[in-house]
Amino acid sequence: MPNDRSDSPVEDPESPQPPQPPQPPQPPQRPQSSQSSQSPQPLQSSPDAVAAGDEGRDGMIVRTFVRDGRLVRLPARWTRKKVVLRHIAEQTFVPGVEYPERTVDEKLRGWCEDGEVDHVTLRRHLVDFGHLRRSDGIYARPAGSARTGSA
C-alpha cells in the first residue's frame, strides 16, 4: 500500500520547497541609550580624526565629511562646517607661517579631489570663518585659531 503523505507530520526532504521572498537588508543596530546595561562600542577612528586628536563629537563630524584625507562635502550646518574647516586648517597650515595664494591653492586642491567642493570655495570659507587671514595675496593661519568653534 502506498504511503499516504497527508497523515505524515514529517516533510519529505526531497520535495521542492516554494521559493522564499528576499528579505530586505537590516539597518545597522544603533547603541542603546546610556541607561542600557551594555556599553556601546567605540567608533573606529579614521586616520583623519586621529591626526587631529578628535575622538568626541568633533571627531564624528570630521569622520562624516572627511574620508581618506579628502573633503567629501561641506556640512550645511554652520557649527559643523566650522569644525570641518578648523580640521582642514589645522592639518594643512602652520600657525603664523605666511603662504602665497598659489601654495594655498595647491594645498587645498588635495582636499578637494573627487569631492563636491572646489579649492577656491574651500579657501574662501577658510578665510570667512577666520581659519586663514588674507592680506595682499598672502595667507596665514592665525596662531589663536586652534580649537575654536566646536559643534
Side-chain angles (χ1 to χ4, degrees), residues 95-118:
V97 175
E98 294 182 337
Y99 300 91
E101 187 169 315
R102 179 175 286 180
T103 302
V104 171
D105 287 348
E106 288 172 6
K107 289 176 172 283
L108 295 180
R109 275 189 193 103
W111 286 97
C112 299
E113 289 178 17
D114 302 324
E116 297 178 6
V117 180
D118 63 271

Side-chain angles (χ1 to χ4, degrees), residues 6-56:
S6 62
D7 296 341
S8 174
V10 178
E11 293 184 22
D12 182 10
E14 306 240 343
S15 67
Q17 298 291 322
Q20 298 293 323
Q23 297 294 322
Q26 297 294 322
Q29 295 292 323
R30 309 264 305 156
Q32 298 287 332
S33 69
S34 61
Q35 296 182 10
S36 170
S37 61
Q38 277 187 323
S39 62
Q41 296 295 321
L43 295 173
Q44 295 295 323
S45 298
S46 73
D48 299 310
V50 171
D54 292 334
E55 290 299 324

Side-chain angles (χ1 to χ4, degrees), residues 2-151:
N3 187 3
D4 185 9
R5 295 194 153 221
S6 62
D7 296 341
S8 174
V10 178
E11 293 184 22
D12 182 10
E14 306 240 343
S15 67
Q17 298 291 322
Q20 298 293 323
Q23 297 294 322
Q26 297 294 322
Q29 295 292 323
R30 309 264 305 156
Q32 298 287 332
S33 69
S34 61
Q35 296 182 10
S36 170
S37 61
Q38 277 187 323
S39 62
Q41 296 295 321
L43 295 173
Q44 295 295 323
S45 298
S46 73
D48 299 310
V50 171
D54 292 334
E55 290 299 324
R57 185 173 182 183
D58 287 0
M60 185 174 71
I61 292 169
V62 169
R63 285 189 300 271
T64 301
F65 296 98
V66 176
R67 303 255 169 84
D68 299 322
R70 305 285 187 260
L71 177 63
V72 177
R73 64 185 172 89
L74 277 173
R77 290 189 183 176
W78 186 84
T79 53
R80 291 179 181 179
K81 189 179 290 184
K82 191 153 184 155
V83 169
V84 171
L85 291 170
R86 182 188 67 230
H87 171 77
I88 291 171
E90 288 174 351
Q91 296 300 306
T92 309
F93 303 103
V94 177
V97 175
E98 294 182 337
Y99 300 91
E101 187 169 315
R102 179 175 286 180
T103 302
V104 171
D105 287 348
E106 288 172 6
K107 289 176 172 283
L108 295 180
R109 275 189 193 103
W111 286 97
C112 299
E113 289 178 17
D114 302 324
E116 297 178 6
V117 180
D118 63 271
H119 70 281
V120 175
T121 302
L122 182 56
R123 186 185 68 215
R124 185 178 66 240
H125 283 307
L126 287 168
V127 171
D128 290 349
F129 280 76
H131 295 296
L132 282 181
R133 298 243 166 88
R134 174 179 50 213
S135 177
D136 298 323
I138 301 296
Y139 293 78
R141 181 173 152 226
S145 70
R147 310 309 299 168
T148 59
S150 116

